[in-house]
Amino acid sequence: MPKPLPYKKILLKVSGEVLMGDSAFGIDPTTLARVAEDIAEVVKTGVELCLVVGGGNIFRGVSLAGHGVERATADYMGMLATVLNALALQGALENKGIYTRVMSAIPMEAVCEPYIRRRAIRHLEKGRVVIFAAGLGAPYFTTDTPAALRSIEMGCEALFKGTSVDGVYTADPKKDPTATRYDTLSHQDVLTRDLKLMDASAISLMRDNKIPIVVFSIRERGNFLKVLQGEGVHTTIT
Ligand code: UDP
């Protein structure tokens, strides 16, 4: 018997970086297919799933801002990068037999639907995965804040952050070998200790709306379902 899941509706934020695999840039097809397989496994349990994908594998606004391109313009470029990733994930998920809709905060009707809250909720009810693209449609943010905002708007019970690190550490584990992983933290701990897991605006939105955040590595095959079942290595922020 499969283990019953603690949540009926969740949002998964996938950082763009994950989609690069071992490459330095862009989308690695093998990695994309593996991430889609993990997501499909979860969708097949019947959970309603929202997705937000970053754009860091293609473009981040801060990389051009201050180098002759205005920050706002560069951030709009970053938002467009998230649309590219959203379409890639849509294709990969449909290839696994999962119905999806991409909804963009910046309307681009030849490519995907515009974001309309009530329509997104209806898609979820019908078992479609909704992929939210173009962030908030506003510069000076990363995709953490739209992930938090959409999870609240959709009535999600938890936000899962799938990254390349298996939780939240006392310091960057790639730079500091003495760094240790937290099992649980409060939203306030994250803010007070200035732990760089998400933007402060995202953490405070989640704190005010009492929604837990689960940070885990989406690089390991099968980990998303495991973590959703309360197993596997992760950090929970409640
Ligand atoms: N971005 C933005 N507003 C948003 C979401 C994203 O301006 O609401 C831009 C910003 O430049 C950001 C880029 O899009 O750097 C890509 O998103 P992010 O850095 O969050 O990608 P990730 O690190 O998750 O791959």
Side-chain angles (χ1 to χ4, degrees):
M1 270 274 285
K3 232 177 140 183
L5 298 179
Y7 305 114
K8 291 193 181 69
K9 197 193 284 188
I10 57 172
L11 186 143
L12 170 68
K13 181 193 161 194
V14 182
S15 52
E17 219 179 64
V18 166
L19 300 181
M20 300 192 301
D22 293 327
S23 324
F25 172 82
I27 301 170
D28 170 53
T30 312
T31 309
L32 175 69
R34 188 185 47 70
V35 170
E37 223 165 88
D38 264 30
I39 296 171
E41 199 169 68
V42 164
V43 176
K44 284 175 186 161
T45 65
V47 77
E48 287 182 31
L49 185 76
C50 308
L51 275 178
V52 167
V53 59
N57 55 323
I58 300 170
F59 191 81
R60 279 202 182 93
V62 285
S63 64
L64 258 195
H67 298 279
V69 176
E70 258 185 295
R71 168 72 191 263
T73 304
D75 277 341
Y76 278 106
M77 293 171 68
M79 286 180 251
L80 296 179
T82 72
V83 180
L84 296 183
N85 284 336
L87 294 176
L89 266 177
Q90 175 172 50
L93 282 170
E94 292 198 332
N95 187 248
K96 309 263 173 243
I98 304 296
Y99 295 104
T100 64
R101 291 290 186 273
V102 173
M103 296 190 123
S104 172
I106 299 172
M108 42 183 98
E109 61 206 34
V111 173
C112 57
E113 292 183 21
Y115 173 65
I116 298 169
R117 181 179 157 268
R118 294 175 66 108
R119 187 181 281 177
I121 290 172
R122 191 74 193 115
H123 286 322
L124 292 171
E125 286 169 357
K126 288 185 174 173
R128 297 171 186 147
V129 172
V130 181
I131 310 172
F132 298 107
L136 291 173
Y140 302 98
F141 286 98
T142 74
T143 43
D144 288 342
T145 304
L149 180 68
R150 296 295 186 236
S151 71
I152 298 161
E153 284 188 277
M154 292 299 115
C156 293
E157 297 145 307
L159 189 164
F160 285 73
K161 178 165 167 135
T163 68
S164 44
V165 188
D166 61 4
V168 184
Y169 281 76
T170 47
D172 183 347
K174 286 175 190 154
K175 291 181 192 148
D176 182 350
T178 65
T180 53
R181 190 179 48 79
Y182 295 103
D183 279 331
T184 55
L185 281 164
S186 70
H187 297 89
Q188 194 54 46
D189 287 337
V190 175
L191 292 173
T192 316
R193 296 180 201 173
D194 198 20
L195 300 170
K196 305 280 180 219
L197 86 114
M198 277 183 137
D199 296 343
S201 54
I203 301 286
S204 56
L205 266 175
M206 300 310 275
R207 178 196 58 192
D208 297 350
N209 289 278
K210 301 186 174 57
I211 301 177
I213 306 168
V214 181
V215 184
F216 71 103
S217 165
I218 201 165
R219 277 183 184 264
E220 281 165 58
R221 170 76 188 95
N223 215 25
F224 184 24
L225 182 60
K226 254 204 257 170
V227 170
L228 187 56
Q229 289 168 331
E231 297 159 6
V233 182
H234 60 277
T235 299
T236 308
I237 295 134
T238 52

